[in-house]
Amino acid sequence: MPIFHQNELGFIQPEWTTTGSIKAFTTTRLGGASQPPYDGFNLATHVGDSYPDVAVNRQQLISSLSLPSSPCWLDQVHSDRVIQCTKNTDSTFLPQADASWTDQHNRVLAVMTADCLPLLVRDVSGTVVAAIHAGWKGLLNQIIIKTVSQLPVASDQLEVWIGPAISQPYFEVGQEVHQQFVDVDERYRSFFAQSSATGKWLLNLPGLAEFQLNQCGVTSVLQSQLCSYHQAEWFYSYRREGQTGRMASLIWIEQSD
């Protein structure tokens, strides 16, 4: 289970970040300057929210977490593209990608979600971190597997935290989505349950993500078991609300003194 910070923003911290140089957090919708339907701590500039309000929220994020640098935000398009974030990466430019990684200190990686999976990755030695955004399209396109393959460490040295995302009872997809997954790998069938609606299926995104991680050699996987759809007081959900804000999941290697 995650650790909840006792502050006004309600930041969530993976268990494995309680010690060491790796810092990682997921935000909630609590606090912030955004007005309905984005209330309150929306961090996305692309959803129709007032830009000044988002700017206030982003500045509050930086100050509340004492971030060592501005986050490396991504232009997330449900792709399979992974980028490396270095000291030369321009934080004002939004690369079109759905995952990033770094082996440099004080480079803050970030992904935004409102039902999709945020995955925060570190190696046990604290030398590499990654952040992944994965919806069903990302899982189908193997964004997780492609990210793990790019990291300069063995996959069995990685630990992954899967943050708040829509849970299976609330994530209904059509027959065409079910068929695409089964066509790729017959074993994916076990992550679908038939819906009460004809021709519809309920997809277990967190379970499928953990399966893919295991398949590429990652055995240490922590599930937050937090549902963005069900826990409306804490999280934004695109499926639940349509027009809504986004949470951010962030990870970085803190420079030691």
Side-chain angles (χ1 to χ4, degrees):
M1 295 295 293
I3 295 172
F4 290 89
H5 285 260
Q6 302 301 309
N7 64 27
E8 70 278 6
L9 297 178
F11 291 124
I12 297 167
Q13 184 178 11
E15 277 189 342
W16 47 253
T17 61
T18 54
T19 60
S21 61
I22 306 300
K23 304 299 178 185
F25 299 88
T26 293
T27 67
T28 68
R29 68 184 304 164
L30 300 179
S34 293
Q35 301 301 306
Y38 309 103
D39 49 322
F41 199 57
N42 168 47
L43 294 164
T45 60
H46 67 284
V47 296
D49 194 2
S50 162
Y51 185 83
D53 289 348
V54 178
V56 169
N57 293 341
R58 288 190 172 190
Q59 185 55 49
Q60 191 172 5
L61 176 73
I62 292 171
S63 59
S64 295
L65 291 178
S66 299
L67 296 184
S69 63
S70 295
C72 296
W73 302 107
L74 304 175
D75 178 11
Q76 300 170 188
V77 291
H78 301 277
S79 69
D80 64 350
R81 185 162 185 247
V82 186
I83 66 161
Q84 181 181 7
C85 185
T86 71
K87 63 182 180 180
N88 296 320
T89 302
D90 182 359
S91 62
T92 63
F93 171 71
L94 295 181
Q96 201 169 82
D98 285 87
S100 60
W101 71 273
T102 191
D103 57 3
Q104 297 185 355
H105 292 98
N106 295 337
R107 299 301 297 168
V108 181
L109 308 181
V111 290
M112 287 188 288
T113 58
D115 281 335
C116 290
L117 298 162
L119 295 95
L120 299 178
V121 185
R122 73 166 189 174
D123 74 310
V124 294
S125 299
T127 62
V128 175
V129 293
I132 306 171
H133 160 258
W136 73 262
K137 291 181 181 178
L139 292 177
L140 186 66
N141 291 325
Q142 301 188 326
I143 182 67
I144 294 174
I145 297 169
K146 291 174 181 177
T147 303
V148 170
S149 69
Q150 286 198 27
L151 301 181
V153 294
S155 57
D156 63 1
Q157 297 299 299
L158 297 175
E159 296 181 316
V160 180
W161 186 72
I162 299 177
I166 193 168
S167 60
Q168 187 172 19
Y170 306 102
F171 191 50
E172 190 176 70
V173 297
Q175 175 61 33
E176 71 284 355
V177 174
H178 176 266
Q179 193 61 50
Q180 286 181 72
F181 276 97
V182 173
D183 287 345
V184 169
D185 192 327
E186 180 66 28
R187 293 173 296 179
Y188 290 162
R189 189 184 299 273
S190 65
F191 297 98
F192 290 84
Q194 284 193 315
S195 172
S196 58
T198 303
K200 299 293 185 179
W201 297 84
L202 300 172
L203 174 55
N204 181 359
L205 287 177
L208 181 52
E210 183 168 356
F211 176 78
Q212 289 188 343
L213 286 164
N214 293 162
Q215 288 303 114
C216 60
V218 181
T219 58
S220 181
V221 181
L222 291 177
Q223 294 275 5
S224 70
Q225 300 181 353
L226 295 168
C227 177
S228 55
Y229 187 101
H230 177 67
Q231 294 169 283
E233 73 279 12
W234 282 92
F235 305 117
Y236 298 114
S237 169
Y238 182 78
R239 281 287 180 115
R240 186 185 62 238
E241 298 169 316
Q243 189 176 16
T244 192
R246 299 293 187 272
M247 291 86 68
S249 294
L250 309 102
I251 189 167
W252 70 97
I253 308 170
E254 191 166 72
Q255 180 73 57
S256 57
D257 294 331

